Amino acid sequence: MSVRVLLADDQPLIRTALRMVIADAPGLEVAGEAGTGAEAVRLTRELGPDVVVMDIRMPGMDGIEATRRITEAGGSTRVVVLTTFDDDENVYGALRAGAAGFLVKDMALDDILSAVRVVAAGDALIAPGVTRRLIAAFAARPGPRPNTRPEPRALTGITDREREVLTLIGRGRSNAEIAAELFISPATVKAHVTRLLVKLAARDRVQLVIIAYETGLVP
């Protein structure tokens, strides 16, 4: 079955370009188009797309608020934010709102299509450049010195091994890389990730990355 995609962007040219590319991509189809955040929320409710490709800066309700409303509705639709990335706080806000992916518009179109498929399959994806900006933003924020950092309360109840896995997730490692570094099987890593999602009440891998930084596991 095709992955049904809703395009939400206030620029018709961007929507047209994405619609044409998706129309030629195997396994993907455009379910609808929205020019505002409010329209994206409404069409998500009416059409039930698998993935919403969401711009941040739109008139009225912006993409962050639209993402929050879509994810809080509890459906199966996942949101990929696609933006020019001119504001680090917007990036963080979108991820906190529940976006399963964050991409920039200067990425290759094939990479954007691959990201849509990855997110539709239940994983999460952040553009490498965005990851570097997020890391730089976290590093620039004032906080306690590493040798005086208190034990994060949010991490009580997880095992030492789960803590190791979470740290490596925060460093951007894939399951295969974590398995190789910890000398365990990829299936075991996947089991640890699943338990971390439950214990930390995280929506997906993106939120695990955020938790790893917020709690100081990754300085």
Side-chain angles (χ1 to χ4, degrees):
M1 295 179 62
S2 295
V3 174
R4 302 175 65 251
V5 182
L6 174 67
L7 304 176
D9 197 303
D10 65 333
Q11 299 181 50
L13 287 177
I14 297 294
R15 297 201 309 270
T16 299
L18 289 172
R19 182 176 67 247
M20 293 174 63
V21 172
I22 290 174
D24 292 333
L28 299 178
E29 65 175 273
V30 176
E33 298 182 29
T36 67
E39 191 176 10
V41 174
R42 178 179 62 81
L43 288 178
T44 298
R45 183 172 58 249
E46 294 176 0
L47 302 176
D50 301 299
V51 176
V52 177
V53 177
M54 180 84 72
D55 187 28
I56 282 184
R57 297 188 180 277
M58 291 185 287
M61 183 189 299
D62 64 16
I64 294 177
E65 177 62 17
T67 297
R68 184 187 67 78
R69 296 194 184 193
I70 289 171
T71 57
E72 287 185 352
S76 60
T77 300
R78 312 195 82 209
V79 179
V80 176
V81 171
L82 178 63
T83 184
T84 53
F85 186 63
D86 58 348
D87 189 331
D88 290 344
E89 289 303 317
N90 278 344
V91 177
Y92 184 76
L95 297 178
R96 292 292 291 175
F102 201 104
L103 310 176
V104 286
K105 290 180 178 177
D106 61 359
M107 292 178 63
L109 288 174
D110 285 345
D111 291 337
I112 293 174
L113 295 179
S114 296
V116 170
R117 293 188 178 96
V118 167
V119 169
D123 210 334
L125 189 146
I126 306 178
V130 175
T131 302
R132 288 193 292 272
R133 293 280 292 270
L134 282 172
I135 291 172
F138 275 110
R141 292 181 178 181
R145 297 181 181 275
N147 60 351
T148 61
R149 185 172 59 229
E151 184 69 15
R153 288 184 301 170
L155 296 183
T156 57
I158 70 172
T159 66
D160 290 340
R161 177 62 85 188
E162 289 165 351
R163 188 183 301 271
E164 291 176 329
V165 171
L166 180 60
T167 300
L168 293 176
I169 290 173
R171 291 174 180 168
R173 304 289 198 274
S174 67
N175 283 1
E177 291 170 334
I178 294 173
E181 189 159 341
L182 298 181
F183 302 102
I184 56 180
S185 71
T188 301
V189 174
K190 186 174 181 180
H192 285 311
V193 172
T194 299
R195 285 194 289 269
L196 283 168
L197 290 170
V198 173
K199 289 183 177 182
L200 300 180
R203 185 179 295 106
D204 50 36
R205 199 181 186 96
V206 172
Q207 288 198 332
L208 290 181
V209 173
I210 293 173
I211 291 170
Y213 278 97
E214 284 187 329
T215 56
L217 282 182
V218 181

